[in-house]
Amino acid sequence: MDVTTAPHRIPAEMPQYGESNHIFELMQNMLEQLLIHQPEDPISFMIQHLDRNNDNVPKIVILGPPASGKTTIAMWLCKHLNSNLLSVENLVIREFPSLTAETRKHYQKTKTVPSTLLVRLIKERLAQEDCIKRGWILDGIPETREQALMIQTQGVIPRHVVMLSALDTVLIERNLGKRVDPQTGEIYHTTFDWPPESDIQNRLVVPAGISEMETARKLLEYHRNIVRIIPSYPKILKVISADQPCVDVFYQALTYVQTHHRSNAPFTPKVLLCGPTGSGKSLQAALLAQKYGLVNVCCGQLLKEAVADKTQFGELIWPFFEKEMAVPDSLVVKVLSQRLDQQDSIQKGWVLHGFPRDLDQAHMLSSMGYDPNRVFFLNVPFDSIVERLTLRRIDPVTGERYHLLYKPPPTMEIQARLLQHPKDSEEQVKLKVDLFYRNSADLEQFYRQAVTLNGDQDPYTVFEYVESGIINPLPKKIP
Amino acid sequence: MASVLTDRTSRAVNTYTYTSRPRALPCQRRRYRDNFLQEEEPMRYGNIMYDRRVIRGNTYALQTGQLPGQPDPLELQRQQQAKRRALARKRAQEQLRPRTPEPLEGRKHVDVQTELYLEEIADRMVEVDVECQTDAFLDRPSTPLFIPAKTGKDVDTEILEGELFDFDLEVKPMLEVLVGKTIEQSLLEVMEEEELANLQAMQYAYEEIRNIELAEVQRLEEQERRHREEKERRKQQQWEMVNKHKETSQKIAARVFAQRYLADLLPSVFSSLRDSGYFYDPIERDIEMGFLPWLMDEVEKTMEYSMVGRTVLDMLIREVVEKRLSMYENKENKHQSLRPKDEHGGPGAMRDPPVGYGFQKQSLSHTQKPLLDRDDQRMSYDGGPSQERKYMEEGELLGQSEETAIRKSLGKEEL
């Protein structure tokens, strides 16, 4: 057996490294660029691409009917993300001297340029240094399917496409209030977005072409075209209603453009579920383990198993169990690391619950190298917890577990003989919940990328949230 | 001021005499307090060259002025006047000087000595005379033999009997001691030498042994060092090997991991490029970009034609109905003026086709604008009149013929 084919023990740092540095996405981007440009010297091209390191720059297209606020949103996004804005206007104005007289006249009359010219201008502009370094935002381009296809053929691939939509009536009305500042080019509105400074107010000019007829005509044209543009961007399109205040639209757009899309990178989930007792952690963990084949690691369970199996650790833990004292952290960590080092948990991933209960334990966990890549905090109000836990009963004869509200026993006879676990009494529950909340603030600060979920819902709903949290890439927090 | 009298001629050759006028010795030391006898003559000595009494210059010319030794008469006078004045001043001062007041009546001032020791004040000076004389007639005796005075002290001793010692007896013990000491010393020295020689020999022997031992030690050390170096080298080798092994296994693991990790890379790249539209189905694209627009244009054109046809038909129908109406109206006015109406109708009828033609031309030109250029070429104005003729036929026969005509025109276009 050759060394390269023997079963290998891959150290756990490697998948972690790959995941944290988004190696798969990096390679994917590089390969895409290679395929698009097909250079003669692939190696130096790849080196150049990696040097540029512009995988995460914004590449956004904003589409929308006239008077939906595209330009405003585009300009705000530009400022916020420090990127470059490209629209028909500023592309043409940049190249104005080099255009032929005919095109110039045509532009001045109709404010449009032929598609081939536009695509050529776009390509030239995107090849410039600042667009490469800081990304680009296309405002209102492509206008027709033809342009969209031409742009795509050139290899210009946006990562996010935002489409603003609103009812035509709203748009027509809104367009009547449009005002433009001739100096800065910013667009204001008489009702929705009035500039505070009076000197800007005095400067504002009514732009041409905002009468109802004009707007209606433009809307017609837009609707004709947009229907055919949408299928060109199937997975990256997001429709945002433009019928809300500007700021809301902007924030929705901003959140969207800052999310990564799902990638095909191989991903072993290492999930940490945190929450007070009774928030449903064990249930969610069990569901996850069942559906995705993850290893369900419940800390308390692990310790009990160790004691029951009378392993070396079990011998050490047993006295603490006898005296009903909390097992010391070092011991717990040792047992955990033994479990998490096993091959199946490395390969399949794990879901941990019940372990770090405070900041020191969390530090210990990360220092051992077991950093979870998804952390969920389940928030459940105290009353729900009490309801869930204090109504738990067990039938001593059959061993069935019942809940007086959610899974009541079928017959009165069974109900008569049900018993309650002493740990499920209200005082005990209150103690445990208080203990958790004392440490939860520290934990939340430690795990910055944690997702907080409302645990007060139906378990399958919560499970869906957890699933989407695991499968979708982690959101980037707005700085 | 010493004047050496040259009395040498009168006396014997070797005699030296010296006489001088008696004077008080010029001692600088003050003997008494406030010695008032200071105004002696200062020692007058000077350089003759600068002496004013010596006349310089030419001695044959008349000397004006006084000799330097003698005072000038003017000067003299002045001096005398000054003297007189000084005297007068002195007298005046003396008079002014506070004196003891005159004695009172009947009294007399008496001088009293107030010093510690009284002094007899007498006019008579104490004089002492001393004389000496030499006999004139005696010969000078011969000089006595000069016997210098005895200086120094004479000391003498007396040796009594038994005070002198016997040298031989006395010397013996000393000699013994001396000789003995010498011999002892020499013996000691010899012994020392022997001892030194012994020591030397021992040291030599010791050194030999030491050298041998050192050599042994060095050899052992060398051996030790060689062993150690060998061990180190072997350890290093082993360590390198282990390292390399580890590295290789890491590299293999990394390669396997990378392979596994990027196993899905190519398909995902291709699918993403396909999704973003870079990879497209060329046939589909061709159909979309090439065929469908043309098709849509043609359909549009055809629909335009049908629209136009319908419009023209409408117009024709209206014309016909109007004409009929006018004819009907004319029927009533037939008895009045048929001819003029006929003429009216004639030119009017004549006018219709051109009017209709003009209208059709307009509508055609309307429809032609959005069509593509090649359709322009095909839609020549030759086709126009033939179509017009067809439409004219339609105008005659309503309903079905219209449709057949349309179909015919369509067929013509599809060619």
Side-chain angles (χ1 to χ4, degrees):
Chain A
M1 212 164 29
D2 169 27
V3 184
T4 51
T5 56
H8 300 278
R9 195 177 179 290
I10 296 180
E13 295 90 44
M14 289 190 189
Q16 225 165 3
Y17 177 81
E19 207 178 293
S20 56
N21 291 314
H22 303 288
I23 302 278
F24 192 85
E25 288 87 355
L26 188 77
M27 297 296 296
Q28 191 171 340
N29 272 324
M30 198 162 70
L31 209 51
E32 277 176 25
Q33 293 298 314
L34 260 182
L35 283 175
I36 290 175
H37 290 103
Q38 290 174 6
E40 266 95 37
D41 187 5
I43 294 187
S44 63
F45 178 81
M46 285 200 277
I47 294 176
Q48 212 183 14
H49 175 87
L50 288 172
D51 272 332
R52 249 188 265 150
N53 195 23
N54 67 347
D55 288 340
N56 291 328
V57 292
K59 293 182 186 157
I60 304 170
V61 169
I62 302 191
L63 302 170
S68 54
K70 301 195 291 296
T71 319
T72 322
I73 298 289
M75 288 177 85
W76 285 358
L77 274 175
C78 239
K79 261 188 246 162
H80 198 96
L81 298 171
N82 190 22
S83 184
N84 298 303
L85 179 64
L86 274 67
S87 68
V88 177
E89 245 185 270
N90 59 15
L91 278 174
V92 169
I93 287 172
R94 278 170 82 99
E95 294 294 317
F96 214 64
S98 63
L99 296 177
T100 61
E102 205 184 297
T103 353
R104 269 183 249 178
K105 247 187 289 174
H106 180 77
Y107 177 70
Q108 273 158 350
K109 218 179 346 161
T110 58
K111 289 279 173 221
T112 57
V113 279
S115 303
T116 35
L117 177 66
L118 186 62
V119 175
R120 186 174 65 87
L121 290 174
I122 290 176
K123 187 146 197 253
E124 280 171 11
R125 178 78 175 90
L126 289 181
Q128 286 176 354
E129 202 50 44
D130 57 349
C131 276
I132 295 179
K133 283 235 158 31
R134 299 188 312 184
W136 40 268
I137 300 182
L138 288 177
D139 169 23
I141 305 171
E143 293 155 339
T144 61
R145 182 171 172 81
E146 203 187 348
Q147 284 183 11
L149 290 177
M150 274 203 266
I151 291 177
Q152 281 180 342
T153 336
Q154 295 292 331
V156 173
I157 303 169
R159 217 179 295 129
H160 298 95
V161 176
V162 172
M163 199 180 91
L164 302 171
S165 86
L167 294 174
D168 283 355
T169 43
V170 173
L171 292 171
I172 292 177
E173 246 189 83
R174 206 194 273 186
N175 208 15
L176 290 172
K178 176 174 172 176
R179 298 285 178 269
V180 182
D181 180 356
Q183 272 185 22
T184 61
E186 288 218 15
I187 302 178
Y188 295 98
H189 197 272
T190 47
T191 324
F192 299 121
D193 187 16
W194 195 235
E197 296 92 19
S198 58
D199 50 354
I200 304 184
Q201 287 174 16
N202 294 336
R203 284 207 295 253
L204 290 183
V205 175
V206 179
I210 58 165
S211 66
E212 287 191 20
M213 292 303 295
E214 278 282 320
T215 325
R217 197 177 54 82
K218 281 196 216 164
L219 276 170
L220 207 60
E221 187 79 29
Y222 167 77
H223 280 298
R224 210 182 288 157
N225 286 325
I226 196 70
V227 178
R228 303 180 61 217
I229 297 181
I230 291 178
S232 314
Y233 300 113
K235 293 194 185 161
I236 49 183
L237 185 75
K238 181 171 164 107
V239 179
I240 299 183
S241 160
D243 203 3
Q244 334 169 40
C246 274
V247 205
D248 290 352
V249 178
F250 173 64
Y251 271 112
Q252 285 188 13
L254 190 62
T255 354
Y256 175 60
V257 303
Q258 287 188 322
T259 53
H260 296 293
H261 295 289
R262 278 186 65 184
S263 78
N264 291 332
F267 172 64
T268 42
K270 299 195 203 125
V271 183
L272 179 65
L273 295 174
C274 294
T277 167
S279 49
K281 304 190 293 288
S282 322
L283 180 61
Q284 297 299 328
L287 287 171
L288 278 173
Q290 189 189 35
K291 182 158 179 188
Y292 294 103
L294 306 177
V295 172
N296 185 358
V297 180
C298 170
C299 186
Q301 198 80 0
L302 212 59
L303 295 173
K304 287 182 199 150
E305 276 172 17
V307 170
D309 287 342
K310 293 207 184 8
T311 60
Q312 181 199 15
F313 286 122
E315 304 286 320
L316 291 167
I317 297 171
W318 167 238
F320 292 98
F321 268 21
E322 252 188 317
K323 297 186 203 137
E324 296 210 5
M325 271 173 31
V327 186
D329 290 346
S330 49
L331 213 50
V332 176
V333 159
K334 281 206 199 106
V335 177
L336 256 185
S337 55
Q338 196 191 41
R339 182 68 184 90
L340 292 178
D341 273 338
Q342 286 178 9
Q343 202 57 19
D344 63 347
S345 47
I346 294 182
Q347 268 183 353
K348 296 194 246 175
W350 40 264
V351 52
L352 177 63
H353 57 107
F355 185 58
R357 292 221 183 112
D358 57 35
L359 199 56
D360 294 329
Q361 290 182 351
H363 276 305
M364 241 191 280
L365 190 68
S366 68
S367 69
M368 307 276 299
Y370 304 114
D371 259 319
N373 47 29
R374 295 282 186 277
V375 181
F376 295 100
F377 280 92
L378 296 167
N379 276 344
V380 187
F382 181 62
D383 297 324
S384 303
I385 296 180
V386 166
E387 191 190 287
R388 282 186 197 177
L389 292 183
T390 51
L391 298 180
R392 270 198 235 166
R393 297 283 185 274
I394 180 165
D395 181 1
V397 174
T398 55
E400 274 278 332
R401 303 177 65 179
Y402 294 102
H403 191 276
L404 291 180
L405 210 59
Y406 301 132
K407 190 177 156 198
T411 65
M412 287 301 296
E413 199 191 321
I414 300 178
Q415 193 169 2
R417 64 178 188 232
L418 288 179
L419 298 173
Q420 191 187 30
H421 195 297
K423 271 201 188 163
D424 280 344
S425 66
E426 198 166 320
E427 305 89 45
Q428 297 275 352
V429 168
K430 196 160 184 354
L431 274 172
K432 281 197 244 175
V433 169
D434 282 338
L435 184 64
F436 174 75
Y437 278 122
R438 234 178 287 154
N439 296 318
S440 68
D442 289 332
L443 280 177
E444 273 183 28
Q445 220 186 15
F446 184 72
Y447 291 116
R448 277 179 199 286
Q449 298 273 37
V451 177
T452 329
L453 303 170
N454 179 13
D456 198 15
Q457 307 163 44
D458 168 63
Y460 291 103
T461 321
V462 181
F463 182 58
E464 275 177 21
Y465 277 115
V466 170
E467 265 184 311
S468 81
I470 294 180
I471 290 175
N472 288 335
L474 279 170
K476 270 192 278 191
K477 300 248 189 268
I478 296 179
Chain B
M1 281 290 287
S3 54
V4 178
L5 275 181
T6 49
D7 271 351
R8 276 197 222 126
T9 47
S10 60
R11 285 276 190 244
V13 185
N14 293 334
T15 339
Y16 167 71
T17 56
Y18 168 78
T19 57
S20 72
R21 202 175 291 165
R23 57 175 171 83
L25 289 171
C27 173
Q28 308 297 333
R29 183 166 63 90
R30 290 227 297 258
R31 277 187 205 86
Y32 309 106
R33 226 180 309 157
D34 299 337
N35 195 347
F36 291 110
L37 308 166
Q38 254 179 358
E39 50 273 357
E40 291 175 321
E41 291 178 358
M43 187 74 88
R44 282 206 196 141
Y45 57 87
N47 201 340
I48 201 173
M49 297 296 292
Y50 299 102
D51 204 343
R52 291 186 69 205
R53 297 171 294 189
V54 178
I55 298 176
R56 298 181 199 279
N58 49 352
T59 50
Y60 49 84
L62 273 175
Q63 294 278 342
T64 54
Q66 299 291 341
L67 292 167
Q70 291 173 4
D72 211 8
L74 210 65
E75 282 259 338
L76 247 160
Q77 223 180 353
R78 234 183 277 137
Q79 275 174 14
Q80 277 166 9
Q81 271 179 4
K83 262 188 225 158
R84 258 180 248 136
R85 248 182 262 133
L87 260 165
R89 218 182 291 128
K90 216 189 247 178
R91 240 178 272 130
Q93 272 183 357
E94 271 194 22
Q95 278 178 353
L96 287 169
R97 199 172 52 171
R99 296 166 185 273
T100 52
E102 294 292 331
L104 293 172
E105 278 290 326
R107 288 183 179 251
K108 214 167 83 166
H109 282 313
V110 172
D111 290 334
V112 166
Q113 290 184 7
T114 53
E115 283 126 7
L116 201 59
Y117 299 105
L118 293 169
E119 185 185 330
E120 185 189 345
I121 298 176
D123 283 333
R124 213 170 77 81
M125 305 293 307
V126 172
E127 292 173 3
V128 171
D129 282 331
V130 172
E131 317 180 324
C132 78
Q133 182 182 331
T134 49
D135 288 334
F137 45 83
L138 281 181
D139 285 333
R140 188 167 180 273
S142 55
T143 42
L145 201 65
F146 175 63
I147 298 172
K150 185 170 170 313
T151 56
K153 225 170 161 176
D154 279 340
V155 174
D156 55 22
T157 56
E158 191 183 341
I159 299 175
L160 298 170
E161 191 64 52
E163 280 185 354
L164 286 175
F165 64 89
D166 188 0
F167 180 72
D168 292 327
L169 281 170
E170 297 295 320
V171 128
K172 213 178 189 168
M174 225 181 289
L175 200 60
E176 271 179 13
V177 168
L178 274 174
V179 170
K181 278 271 177 242
T182 321
I183 292 181
E184 210 178 310
Q185 190 114 341
S186 56
L187 276 176
L188 274 173
E189 281 183 10
V190 168
M191 266 172 57
E192 264 181 32
E193 277 180 21
E194 266 182 36
E195 209 173 311
L196 276 173
N198 270 354
L199 274 173
Q200 198 73 296
M202 261 174 51
Q203 264 186 355
Y204 190 69
Y206 177 69
E207 194 142 339
E208 287 283 323
I209 296 178
R210 193 159 164 271
N211 280 348
I212 293 174
E213 277 188 359
L214 267 177
E216 186 69 25
V217 161
Q218 259 184 357
R219 190 181 64 81
L220 283 174
E221 261 182 22
E222 261 313 301
Q223 199 181 27
E224 187 62 37
R225 192 181 60 86
R226 264 186 286 120
H227 274 199
R228 201 182 19 208
E229 276 186 6
E230 191 63 33
K231 223 182 353 179
E232 283 296 321
R233 229 179 303 134
R234 296 242 176 104
K235 264 206 296 197
Q236 190 78 2
Q237 254 180 356
Q238 193 69 8
W239 192 78
E240 273 173 15
M241 207 167 69
V242 163
N243 245 17
K244 238 193 176 164
H245 193 73
K246 223 183 339 171
E247 232 180 86
T248 328
S249 71
Q250 263 186 352
K251 274 193 187 162
I252 293 176
R255 205 176 77 132
V256 167
F257 165 71
Q259 246 175 355
R260 229 190 282 170
Y261 192 69
L262 297 176
D264 201 25
L265 183 65
L266 273 180
S268 104
V269 163
F270 280 115
S271 68
S272 89
L273 281 177
R274 200 177 313 126
D275 286 333
S276 60
Y278 187 70
F279 288 157
Y280 50 84
D281 186 0
I283 301 177
E284 207 182 309
R285 183 61 63 89
D286 187 41
I287 293 180
E288 194 183 330
M289 303 301 286
F291 177 64
L292 281 179
W294 170 84
L295 187 63
M296 298 304 288
D297 289 332
E298 295 298 314
V299 167
E300 209 179 319
K301 251 194 295 178
T302 321
M303 285 180 60
E304 286 283 343
Y305 289 150
S306 77
M307 296 290 293
V308 163
R310 283 200 200 125
T311 327
V312 170
L313 184 62
D314 284 339
M315 271 181 50
L316 284 169
I317 293 171
R318 179 189 291 192
E319 293 275 343
V320 164
V321 167
E322 272 181 16
K323 230 187 356 182
R324 290 264 166 93
L325 186 61
S326 61
M327 271 170 55
Y328 184 65
E329 280 172 4
N330 285 350
K331 246 190 191 169
E332 290 173 358
N333 306 349
K334 228 188 206 168
H335 58 279
Q336 283 178 11
S337 49
L338 199 64
R339 239 279 144 194
K341 281 287 188 293
D342 245 324
E343 282 172 23
H344 239 299
M350 282 301 130
R351 245 183 275 126
D352 280 336
V355 164
Y357 181 56
F359 197 97
Q360 192 195 23
K361 228 180 144 162
Q362 268 182 31
S363 56
L364 279 176
S365 59
H366 258 302
T367 53
Q368 266 172 33
K369 255 209 225 144
L371 297 179
L372 296 173
D373 288 346
R374 34 192 181 117
D375 288 335
D376 268 342
Q377 290 162 9
R378 298 178 69 224
M379 259 302 300
S380 59
Y381 283 73
D382 298 333
S386 59
Q387 282 179 344
E388 183 222 347
R389 246 176 277 129
K390 286 203 187 88
Y391 292 138
M392 287 300 290
E393 284 165 19
E394 284 172 82
E396 307 289 355
L397 322 152
L398 305 163
Q400 290 174 337
S401 55
E402 177 194 295
E403 282 162 30
T404 50
I406 293 174
R407 252 180 265 128
K408 274 192 212 156
S409 69
L410 264 178
K412 191 159 190 253
E413 287 308 311
E414 272 170 351
L415 280 173

